[in-house]
Amino acid sequence: MSVSFLKVAARQSSRRMPSTPRLWLPSCRHSSTASHRLSAGERLAGHLQNAASGAAALVTGFIIYYHVAQPVVHLDGEAAIGGPQPKRATKATVHQNVPESALGAQYGSKEDVQKAIEELRRGIPREGAVNTDPEVLQFYGSSDKSYHPTSPHSVVVHPESTEEVVEIVNVARKYRVPVVPYSGATSLEGHFSGYPAGSICVDVSGMNKILEIHEEDSDLVCQAGVRWEDINSTLKEKGIPLFFPLDPGPGATIGGMIGTGCSGTNAVRYGTARGEWFLNVTVVLPNGKVIKTRRRARKSSAGIDMTKLFIGAEGTLGIVTEATLRLAPVIPSKVAMAQFPDVGSAVSAVQEILNTPAGPHIQCVELLDDHMMKAIADGGLVSETYPIHDTLFFKIHGDPAAIDSTTRTVQDIVSKHRSVNFKFAETEDEAEELWESRKYALMSTIQSEEGARCWTTDVCVPVSKLPELVHETKKDLEQSKLLSTIVGHVGDGRCYTLLTRLSTADTSAGNFHAFILFQSDNELKAVSDAVHRLVHRAIALDGTCTGEHGVGVGKREYLTEELGPDTVELMWTIKRAIDPLDIMNPGKLYPDMPKDGEGSRS
């Protein structure tokens, strides 16, 4: 392993790990009910220490493991980022060819790529700014979180300003070398894989400064490489009672969140990236021009909303370098739990709750099915386990009177929908303990299958269609001998289904983020087919092939079915107008255009 690669790994590790303690690294409890047992955080730390060969090697071992073994991404902002990682089998998959430019673009030769690299070295002479170490190129061009086609880059460049990004784009255009943006590396659909003909990876994670905070206007300006957790920790440290409510996976950066149109556990209350949380963005276009999509006013009817053009564009129209973020006030919250005899009853309860005056006080609604609750109980990562039932976890926010009123409403409605157990956390310690089951859901499922690897995907349907999706997918997975566990954002119609390779045929499913564990190519084929059927089933229910992960390489084939050929044709028209050379992240997002003679309609 090269010294250059280890330096890059160490630098990335320092960026990705939280700068201050988070909810998923809890301190020692002081409540009398928990004083006689270790907390989940203490057990996690113990597992980590046991896995290390010695105190002197712990830090180095973690850095190498995290960046070489690439542990599975955790789900949402409530996940355990510092916990134990299960043993993993060697990656067993056969990649197809990386998609080529659907515009038939002619890219530069190998000689042109080398000329581009040399010009980049002259243009950005800072030490370490331009990296061609083979291990680094492979690392940046692929991810063990994804089983889509991959390819190493030709060079990785680390800009520190918008001006340096302009320099990179101008060189790329001059020599016709594809450009692939990169930041937090938490995306799951192959967004940052390299291009076979040669590509320039633009790692903006070093552009991680908060430039301005306007407390009186409830907004801030930051660079694209800032992580959402660091924004919220900075606001808290400064005593500013505001926060940025979008909470995707730990380590996600603002640029990537914009590119994939992210959301998170708070979506039921605060919406997604496609809401008004990004007031404007600064973008370097393929022609080297820099645009700012609008001013900082909270609303504007001045022309087409150009900010939205880049939300979900996945770096195919330009590279976002700065953004103005709208902030929300920090509101006190409490946690409650309700258990049900089946998923249908749980979903019906959520629908009724959200349509009452108490609805606006529901910050999060998370569903864990009975198989997931069993996995948590067996996993040993939480300090208290609960009965094995389909379970809803609520975060209720507001002033004390609003929380009290909303809690009574929730309890009345879940009781009407056959709830068999209800619990409300009176204190912060109790709330943290209750939410642990949600935090460690993914880790508990992964630990149920030692040595497995994980393929992650997501779909979304209208909430009313969730029970039907559950029923149809249950029958499908039964035939496939796949066991599923559901974890999801029920309030906005998305559920996470973790499909594990087990011998039992008793399965259930939801409207999904799917975490699919497998150990061999034969099993990979089975889970790939199951995901393919899942996506088609969701679209048939008036849903989408992706709720928040984005399209990348993995979901391109479904866009025409979901959006219609004329909508896809309009997307291509915009792409051709802005990026006629197709140098911005080619082979991602856009479905292949019809071949000659096929026409534009299916």
Side-chain angles (χ1 to χ4, degrees):
M1 184 176 298
S2 68
V3 174
S4 176
F5 176 73
L6 288 175
K7 288 181 178 178
V8 170
R11 183 169 65 247
Q12 291 286 8
S13 179
S14 65
R15 288 179 187 144
R16 292 179 187 172
M17 289 302 294
S19 56
T20 57
R22 305 277 182 229
L23 181 60
W24 52 81
L25 292 177
S27 59
C28 183
R29 301 181 190 280
H30 299 289
S31 64
S32 59
T33 59
S35 61
H36 66 283
R37 58 180 178 265
L38 292 176
S39 70
E42 290 169 326
R43 284 197 298 279
L44 287 172
H47 287 315
L48 186 58
Q49 290 171 352
N50 292 337
S53 60
L58 182 59
V59 175
T60 302
F62 178 77
I63 292 172
I64 294 173
Y65 175 80
Y66 187 82
H67 293 280
V68 179
Q70 281 287 280
V72 173
V73 69
H74 294 287
L75 178 65
D76 300 323
E78 299 292 356
I81 195 170
Q85 300 294 333
K87 296 178 181 178
R88 304 202 178 278
T90 302
K91 185 173 181 178
T93 182
V94 178
H95 291 303
Q96 307 166 10
N97 292 329
V98 176
E100 297 182 358
S101 169
L103 292 179
Q106 297 298 311
Y107 297 120
S109 64
K110 291 182 179 180
E111 290 75 17
D112 291 326
V113 172
Q114 291 306 311
K115 290 177 181 178
I117 293 172
E118 292 307 313
E119 191 159 330
L120 288 170
R121 292 189 190 281
R122 293 192 297 271
I124 310 177
R126 185 175 61 255
E127 183 180 358
V130 180
N131 196 320
T132 56
D133 183 285
E135 292 184 72
V136 172
L137 303 180
Q138 181 67 41
F139 170 71
Y140 274 85
S142 63
S143 170
D144 278 352
K145 306 177 189 113
S146 168
Y147 290 87
H148 303 302
T150 63
S151 180
H153 297 287
S154 301
V155 60
V156 177
V157 189
H158 304 277
E160 294 184 350
S161 65
T162 298
E163 291 73 24
E164 289 187 349
V165 175
V166 171
E167 174 75 21
I168 296 166
V169 171
N170 285 339
V171 170
R173 186 178 65 256
K174 176 180 178 180
Y175 294 101
R176 298 203 173 189
V177 181
V179 176
V180 179
Y182 180 104
S183 51
T186 62
S187 58
L188 301 165
E189 297 292 348
H191 293 91
F192 51 84
S193 60
Y195 198 80
S199 52
I200 300 170
C201 179
V202 183
D203 178 9
V204 300
S205 62
M207 298 174 61
N208 56 2
K209 297 181 178 62
I210 298 174
L211 302 175
E212 303 169 10
I213 299 176
H214 308 116
E215 181 177 359
E216 64 280 10
D217 296 324
S218 298
D219 66 49
L220 63 77
V221 182
C222 67
Q223 293 181 307
V226 178
R227 301 177 305 176
W228 65 270
E229 306 106 311
D230 292 337
I231 289 172
N232 288 338
S233 64
T234 297
L235 293 170
K236 184 176 181 179
E237 289 164 4
K238 291 181 176 294
I240 299 174
L242 300 169
F243 81 117
F244 186 60
L246 303 186
D247 61 337
T253 64
I254 295 302
M257 293 164 68
I258 292 169
T260 56
C262 78
S263 55
T265 63
N266 289 329
V268 64
R269 171 64 180 86
Y270 293 100
T272 75
R274 298 183 190 273
E276 293 294 320
W277 296 107
F278 297 104
L279 298 179
N280 63 52
V281 292
T282 299
V283 186
V284 177
L285 298 177
N287 62 9
K289 292 183 177 180
V290 179
I291 65 165
K292 187 173 183 177
T293 53
R294 57 176 270 197
R295 298 285 184 170
R296 197 166 53 85
R298 275 298 180 95
K299 66 177 184 177
S300 172
S301 59
I304 297 172
D305 190 343
M306 300 303 292
T307 304
K308 297 289 198 307
L309 185 65
F310 296 95
I311 296 176
E314 302 184 3
T316 63
L317 302 179
I319 300 177
V320 174
T321 59
E322 294 180 11
T324 300
L325 280 52
R326 182 164 66 96
L327 305 174
V330 174
I331 302 175
S333 65
K334 295 288 187 179
V335 175
M337 177 196 76
Q339 297 191 296
F340 299 84
D342 55 69
V343 171
S345 298
V347 173
S348 297
V350 171
Q351 290 174 287
E352 183 171 346
I353 291 167
L354 295 181
N355 287 327
T356 68
H361 294 286
I362 303 298
Q363 180 178 342
C364 307
V365 189
E366 300 294 290
L367 170 67
L368 280 67
D369 82 330
D370 54 348
H371 294 295
M372 185 71 261
M373 295 300 290
K374 185 177 188 307
I376 291 170
D378 294 341
L381 295 177
V382 299
S383 54
E384 183 173 348
T385 59
Y386 300 99
I388 309 303
H389 295 292
D390 299 307
T391 305
L392 291 175
F393 290 90
F394 298 88
K395 279 191 175 179
I396 302 169
H397 70 178
D399 61 23
I403 290 176
D404 183 60
S405 173
T406 300
T407 302
R408 289 198 304 270
T409 299
V410 169
Q411 188 169 10
D412 289 344
I413 291 175
V414 300
S415 177
K416 186 171 71 173
H417 288 272
R418 302 190 298 153
S419 173
V420 296
N421 185 23
F422 182 83
K423 182 173 182 179
F424 177 77
E426 297 285 352
T427 67
E428 289 188 10
D429 280 346
E430 289 178 2
E432 182 179 332
E433 188 172 83
L434 194 59
W435 199 257
E436 275 183 348
S437 292
R438 175 60 186 88
K439 277 197 311 181
Y440 298 121
L442 174 58
M443 286 299 299
S444 296
T445 299
I446 292 175
Q447 291 203 159
S448 71
E449 185 71 2
E450 184 175 355
R453 299 213 59 80
C454 182
W455 181 342
T456 306
T457 190
D458 79 320
V459 299
C460 181
V461 296
V463 178
S464 63
K465 301 294 185 180
L466 178 58
E468 181 178 353
L469 186 66
V470 169
H471 177 69
E472 293 299 322
T473 305
K474 173 187 278 189
K475 291 193 302 184
D476 182 6
L477 297 178
E478 226 171 53
Q479 297 172 357
S480 303
K481 302 294 190 293
L482 293 170
L483 173 66
S484 69
T485 59
I486 300 173
V487 185
H489 312 323
V490 187
D492 59 356
R494 286 174 293 121
C495 285
Y496 302 76
T497 299
L498 297 89
L499 310 178
T500 60
R501 171 190 155 278
L502 294 174
S503 58
T504 179
D506 181 17
T507 62
S508 62
N511 171 20
F512 305 2
H513 286 251
F515 295 81
I516 308 169
L517 306 184
F518 63 94
Q519 294 192 358
S520 69
D521 285 334
N522 289 337
E523 291 171 357
L524 173 59
K525 177 67 166 59
V527 296
S528 176
D529 290 345
V531 170
H532 185 71
R533 294 190 298 271
L534 164 63
V535 171
H536 285 296
R537 192 176 300 120
I539 293 174
L541 292 173
D542 209 12
T544 175
C545 66
T546 175
E548 61 183 5
H549 289 173
V551 176
V553 173
K555 298 292 180 67
R556 293 168 68 242
E557 63 179 295
Y558 306 113
L559 252 62
T560 301
E561 178 184 356
E562 178 178 332
L563 303 177
D566 291 335
T567 301
V568 170
E569 184 177 351
L570 178 59
M571 289 172 57
W572 269 118
T573 300
I574 296 170
K575 168 70 170 175
R576 285 191 294 261
I578 296 176
D579 183 23
L581 298 179
D582 196 19
I583 61 171
M584 303 304 294
N585 213 7
K588 321 289 172 55
L589 180 59
Y590 306 88
D592 292 336
M593 293 193 301
K595 297 178 181 178
D596 292 341
E598 289 184 353
S600 61
R601 290 172 173 80
S602 58

